[in-house]
């Protein structure tokens, strides 16, 4: 089990404001990253697709369906029990920060 694996409490700074998310990550020794991200405001769950781990860098794609259908590419850097990065979609970039649950 990697130090990346587990539950992360994240904040996504979306165009509608700061939204809390729960991010569940599972990594495999081959560098594959799986899991899901749940928006705690509206309950929408999104599965991580094409997830990869490269050192402390994590990347994945998610498909949003609300408020509209859009693909989001996510890239974050993990530093201990914190992560920071961004999601990129047609509407631009949105910051993502997170802290791993103990």
């Amino acid at each position: 089990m990697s130090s990346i694996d587990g539950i992360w409490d994240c904040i996504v700074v979306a165009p509608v404001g700061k939204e809390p998310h729960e991010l569940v990550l599972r990594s495999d020794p081959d560098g594959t990253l799986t899991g899901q991200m749940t928006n705690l405001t509206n309950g929408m769950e999104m599965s991580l697709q094409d997830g990869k781990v490269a050192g402390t860098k994590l990347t994945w794609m998610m498909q949003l369906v609300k408020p509209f259908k859009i693909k989001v590419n996510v890239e974050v850097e993990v530093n201990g029990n914190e992560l920071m990065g961004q999601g990129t979609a047609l509407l631009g970039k949105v910051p993502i920060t997170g802290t791993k649950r103990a």
Side-chain angles (χ1 to χ4, degrees), residues 27-86:
S27 62
D28 289 330
D30 68 357
T32 302
L33 182 69
T34 58
Q36 69 268 355
M37 193 167 196
T38 303
N39 183 318
L40 299 177
T41 301
N42 62 22
M44 183 173 56
E45 291 184 12
M46 299 157 284
S47 294
L48 278 59
Q49 301 172 17
D50 196 27
K52 294 180 178 52
V53 178
T56 58
K57 181 178 162 184
L58 313 178
T59 58
W60 68 86
M61 191 275 293
M62 296 183 304
Q63 185 72 49
L64 268 64
V65 293
K66 291 179 185 177
F68 41 82
K69 192 172 180 177
I70 190 167
K71 181 173 81 169
V72 179
N73 292 302
V74 179
E75 182 175 314
V76 299
E77 188 85 21
V78 175
N79 184 4
N81 288 334
E82 296 185 355
L83 62 79
M84 182 180 297
Q86 63 190 13

